[in-house]
C-alpha cells in the first residue's frame, strides 16, 4: 500500500459524516439511550476521524512519486 492516499472530496465527505456521527453519539449519550447506539455512533465517528487523520491527502503534485 505505498500509494494509499485520500482524494480531497472523499476526505471532506468522510469528515462531515464523522462529525454527524459524533453529534449523534452525543445526542444518544445525553439522552442516556441504548448502549448499542453509543457504540455504533462512536465507532463510526472514531473510524472516520482516524481515517482522515492518518491517511495522507492526494495532491496534484506528483513530485514525490
Amino acid at each position: 500500500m505505498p500509494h494509499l492516499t485520500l482524494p480531497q472530496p472523499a476526505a471532506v465527505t468522510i469528515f462531515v459524516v464523522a462529525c454527524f456521527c459524533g453529534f449523534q453519539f452525543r445526542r444518544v449519550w445525553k439522552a442516556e439511550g441504548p448502549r448499542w447506539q453509543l457504540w455504533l455512533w462512536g465507532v463510526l465517528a472514531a473510524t472516520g476521524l482516524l481515517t482522515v487523520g492518518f491517511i495522507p491527502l492526494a495532491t496534484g503534485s506528483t513530485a514525490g512519486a
Side-chain angles (χ1 to χ4, degrees):
M1 293 189 301
H3 300 293
L4 181 64
T5 58
L6 277 176
Q8 291 177 357
V12 170
T13 303
I14 292 170
F15 181 76
V16 169
V17 170
C19 288
F20 172 75
C21 291
F23 175 77
Q24 290 297 96
F25 173 83
R26 185 178 182 275
R27 186 183 59 80
V28 172
W29 177 52
K30 294 288 271 185
E32 297 182 10
R35 286 200 183 260
W36 69 268
Q37 285 186 8
L38 284 174
W39 277 100
L40 174 70
W41 296 118
V43 167
L44 289 175
T47 302
L49 292 174
L50 288 172
T51 299
V52 171
F54 287 110
I55 296 179
L57 292 177
T59 60
S61 170
T62 58

